[in-house]
Amino acid sequence: MRSYSPDLTPPWKKQAPAPEVAAEPDLVVEEVTTGFCGAVIRCEAGTVTLEDRFGKHRVFPLAPRGFLLEGKVVTLVRPSAAPARPARTASGSVAVPGARARVARAGRIYVEGRHDAELVEKVWGDDLRIEGVVVEYLSGIDDLPAIVADFAPGPDARLGVLVDHLVPGSKESRIAAAVTGEHVLVAGHPYIDVWEAVKPASVGIAGWPVVPRGVDWKTGVCAALGWPPNSGAAWQRILSGVRTYKDLEPELLGRVEELIDFVTAP
C-alpha cells in the first residue's frame, strides 16, 4: 500500500498555473530559458517549432510555463482540431478558389523595369488577375511624361506608377510631380533598386551592401556579395527567395497596395 506524502509547500511559494494558449500558426512568443523569439510555424505532439525574423527555426518542448506571450508567462498547448483556415494568396489576401481572371481594365499599373514587374507578379499576381489589372514596365522613368500623355488617363482609365528611389529632390520626384493628377498616382519606395526592397534574410544575406557613389548599384552589390557579375542570374537568386509578402519591406508593400486600390476604385 502506497504511503501518502502531503505537499507541505507554503501556498505563497507555489506557482500559480499559467494560462494555456493554443500554439496557432503565426503566434509570436518567446521561449523563457533561451530568449528565442519567433512565430509558431508548426506544432506537433509535445513540441512547437518557432521561426525568428531571420528565418531561423528552433524546436522547443511544450513545457508548462515555458513561453512568454506579450511579456506574460503562458503554457503553450497543441491547438484542437478546427476548420481549416481560408487559403491565402502570396499577397496575404483570401484566395478565391476557381476564380476566373477578370477582363482587363482600361486602367494600368506601370513599373520601372522587368524585375519590378516580375516581383509584383509573383506576390500580387493572383489579386491582379481577379481585379483585371495589367502591369506593364517602362524602360526607365525618363519617358514617363510622354507615356502618360499617350495613355490619356481618365475616370474609367486610371494610371498608377511605381517608381524606385522616390525621395525628395531626386530626378524621380521631379518627374513624378510633373505627371501626378486626379487620374494618375505615382507612388514610390526609397530604395535605389527593387532588389533592395526584398528583405536580406529572405535572400540569405546579412544586409544589402552600401555601394559607393559613381558605381552601378547592381554591379557593386554583386561584387560585394561575391556573386557572379550577372544581374540576371543574381535577380533569379533574389526572386527565388520571395515566397509571400512577408519577404518584402513594408515600404514597397504599402505602395503597391495603394496603387492597386487607386486603379480599381469605382
Side-chain angles (χ1 to χ4, degrees), residues 9-15:
T9 306
W12 58 88
K13 290 189 177 180
K14 292 183 179 180
Q15 289 186 321

Side-chain angles (χ1 to χ4, degrees), residues 93-258:
S93 302
V94 175
V96 182
R100 300 179 62 182
R102 176 174 172 167
V103 175
R105 296 173 181 266
R108 292 285 189 276
I109 292 177
Y110 278 92
V111 297
E112 279 203 60
R114 180 171 59 84
H115 293 177
D116 306 68
E118 290 178 352
L119 185 61
V120 169
E121 162 61 28
K122 185 161 188 179
V123 176
W124 288 274
D126 291 337
D127 309 63
L128 293 169
R129 279 183 283 278
I130 290 176
E131 294 291 349
V133 177
V134 175
V135 175
E136 300 184 22
Y137 65 87
L138 314 165
S139 296
I141 195 175
D142 293 332
D143 297 330
L144 184 57
I147 290 172
V148 172
D150 185 63
F151 186 85
D156 298 321
R158 292 185 170 192
L159 181 61
V161 185
L162 179 68
V163 177
D164 298 339
H165 199 229
L166 190 61
V167 295
S170 65
K171 175 187 72 172
E172 291 82 0
S173 66
R174 293 190 293 272
I175 295 175
V179 302
T180 298
E182 182 181 1
H183 307 301
V184 179
L185 174 63
V186 179
H189 56 76
Y191 305 111
I192 294 174
D193 190 273
V194 76
W195 289 17
E196 203 176 7
V198 178
K199 291 181 177 178
S202 299
V203 186
I205 60 177
W208 290 106
V210 176
V211 178
R213 292 179 66 89
V215 177
D216 176 73
W217 191 82
K218 290 177 180 175
T219 301
V221 165
C222 290
L225 295 176
W227 293 353
N230 180 328
S231 63
W235 171 241
Q236 291 307 312
R237 177 174 183 167
I238 295 166
L239 189 61
S240 67
V242 177
R243 298 173 298 278
T244 72
Y245 70 98
K246 295 180 181 179
D247 295 302
L248 303 180
E249 298 289 359
E251 290 83 354
L252 176 66
L253 292 174
R255 302 296 74 74
V256 175
E257 297 285 352
E258 185 180 3

